[in-house]
Amino acid sequence: MLRRIPPSFALAVLGFGAFLLALAPMFAWYVGPRMTRTPADINVTSVLTGRGSYFDIDAETTLHDRTITLTQRILGDVHAGAGHDAAVWDVSTTIDTPKTLPLKDPRRSLQWTVERWVSDRRTNLPVHCCGETPSFDADAFLKFPFDVRKQTYRWWDSTFGASVPMRYSSTAKVLGHEGYLFTGSVQPTRTATREVPGVIVGLPKQGQVLAEQWYSNARIALVVDQRTGEIIDVSIAPKVTLRQPGGKRDEVTLLRSERLAMTDSAHRVVVDRAVADSRMLRLVGTTLPATAAGVGAPLAAVGLAMLLIRGRSSLQPLEPPPGLATRTERVRSTRFAMRVRKS
């Protein structure tokens, strides 16, 4: 049967198998690594909510057991980071109370910060360019590096103004998608000074004082997608207080919550994005190379075998037809008889 197969077909099978074998390492070593890049064009909004306390300026007192909403908007600036292979993200973070949230105006929120974070698209490390503010130093912030490991990472806390060691704790599932859970904390630390009326910090006889602002975070919990490094769940317990200059105790609570966590709708957005990105990276980095190699090797072997068998068959002597063999024997017999008569 193999001898009847046209040589062009055998060559086609061999060529296609060789093509797939060449395609496998290209996917694994060229296409895959070029897809493991932090996206530069991003437009994402995350919302955390919880119960807690905050200082109401109008009432000049701390209100307790109220809803606190933290909203973080991330917008990528593709043009700014193009020359540095960097992801430039403009980040707007607001903290709202039930009174300020309906206003939808960050200028009237309880707290509003605007930052520009710049990171290397491959390593996730900071890149100090493109108008970065503040200058941060960490290997994890709004996302972790690709191919997350079970180790300790330095996560940047903007309120703290420094990196926080985030230690691997366990695996955790968010909406059925499994990720790595990292936990950390911030002990009470003085982070700034603020000029406030002395009466607020227990110094009624003084007009304005430079009160010390202290920050702590009892528990930071982040669930991270292992392949992409995207954060799919966030839970924090911030506390911001004011103390007298050189004071040892908190005089007023500006913000406190035992737990601010992502809303269900925010979970759905980040999990869907992480699942889609993870599948794409797995397809290009693992599935396609393995499939190309698994299919290409047998095809190349079959095509080569067909060519070798055809080559061997072409070198074997051809057997004469039965009729031709009989006539040849008759001629030989006649010649032999003639020789005998002559002798």
Side-chain angles (χ1 to χ4, degrees):
M1 293 294 294
L2 290 176
R3 296 177 185 177
R4 299 179 181 177
I5 297 177
S8 59
F9 179 77
L11 287 172
V13 173
L14 175 61
F16 186 60
F19 170 74
L20 290 178
L21 286 176
L23 200 62
M26 186 179 72
F27 273 120
W29 301 331
Y30 184 83
V31 180
R34 279 159 178 75
M35 290 193 64
T36 54
R37 293 284 195 278
T38 299
D41 185 9
I42 188 172
N43 188 353
V44 176
T45 299
S46 297
V47 181
L48 281 68
T49 61
R51 307 289 291 184
S53 307
Y54 59 87
F55 185 79
D56 188 289
I57 297 179
D58 296 332
E60 296 185 352
T61 186
T62 299
L63 304 180
H64 302 280
D65 194 24
R66 305 297 172 94
T67 300
I68 298 173
T69 303
L70 186 153
T71 305
Q72 190 173 70
R73 296 178 175 88
I74 308 169
L75 184 63
D77 188 338
V78 179
H79 178 73
H84 303 272
D85 194 24
V88 180
W89 290 356
D90 292 319
V91 185
S92 171
T93 305
T94 58
I95 298 178
D96 284 290
T97 68
K99 182 168 60 176
T100 64
L101 185 62
L103 302 177
K104 298 181 179 180
D105 185 350
R107 296 168 299 179
R108 303 182 66 179
S109 61
L110 181 67
Q111 179 179 315
W112 179 33
T113 58
V114 178
E115 300 166 299
R116 169 169 278 209
W117 291 2
V118 187
S119 64
D120 186 278
R121 297 185 65 192
R122 293 181 298 104
T123 65
N124 209 57
L125 293 175
V127 176
H128 304 297
C129 73
C130 315
E132 171 206 26
T133 179
S135 179
F136 71 100
D137 182 20
D139 48 16
F141 47 103
L142 299 176
K143 73 178 294 294
F144 278 57
F146 291 95
D147 297 320
V148 180
R149 300 180 180 181
K150 298 178 180 180
Q151 63 182 41
T152 299
Y153 288 90
R154 296 177 302 123
W155 180 74
W156 183 260
D157 186 329
S158 293
T159 306
F160 184 38
S163 59
V164 180
M166 298 296 293
R167 299 172 178 84
Y168 172 79
S169 178
S170 63
T171 59
K173 286 190 175 182
V174 180
L175 299 181
H177 183 63
E178 186 174 88
Y180 287 175
L181 172 63
F182 293 87
T183 58
S185 62
V186 178
Q187 297 302 313
T189 305
R190 192 180 79 165
T191 56
T193 57
R194 297 181 60 172
E195 188 175 13
V196 298
V199 66
I200 293 181
V201 292
L203 298 173
K205 295 183 180 180
Q206 300 186 28
Q208 299 288 322
V209 298
L210 281 178
E212 298 177 356
Q213 180 172 299
W214 285 67
Y215 168 74
S216 64
N217 207 317
R219 187 175 190 272
I220 306 169
L222 308 174
V223 180
V224 184
D225 177 68
Q226 186 275 329
R227 188 175 295 271
T228 65
E230 297 179 25
I231 299 175
I232 59 176
D233 189 27
V234 179
S235 176
I236 58 177
K239 181 182 179 181
V240 182
T241 62
L242 291 180
R243 296 182 182 182
Q244 296 177 0
K248 301 298 182 182
R249 66 177 185 179
D250 297 330
E251 297 293 340
V252 61
T253 298
L254 299 181
L255 176 69
R256 181 177 184 178
S257 177
E258 297 299 328
R259 185 173 184 268
L260 293 179
M262 294 182 72
T263 62
D264 291 340
S265 58
H267 276 143
R268 174 57 60 190
V269 172
V270 295
V271 169
D272 288 347
R273 185 176 66 248
V275 169
D277 292 346
S278 181
R279 286 176 178 173
M280 180 60 67
L281 292 179
R282 186 184 300 111
L283 176 66
V284 175
T286 303
T287 305
L288 287 180
T291 302
V295 175
L299 284 178
V302 170
L304 183 60
M306 288 190 294
L307 289 175
L308 290 176
I309 291 175
R310 286 189 58 84
R312 290 177 182 175
S313 64
S314 64
L315 296 176
Q316 295 178 358
L318 297 175
E319 297 180 0
L324 179 61
T326 303
R327 289 193 298 271
T328 303
E329 291 176 359
R330 289 177 181 175
V331 171
R332 288 177 180 175
S333 300
T334 303
R335 290 177 179 176
F336 178 76
M338 293 176 64
R339 290 175 183 176
V340 171
R341 289 176 183 175
K342 289 180 180 181
S343 62

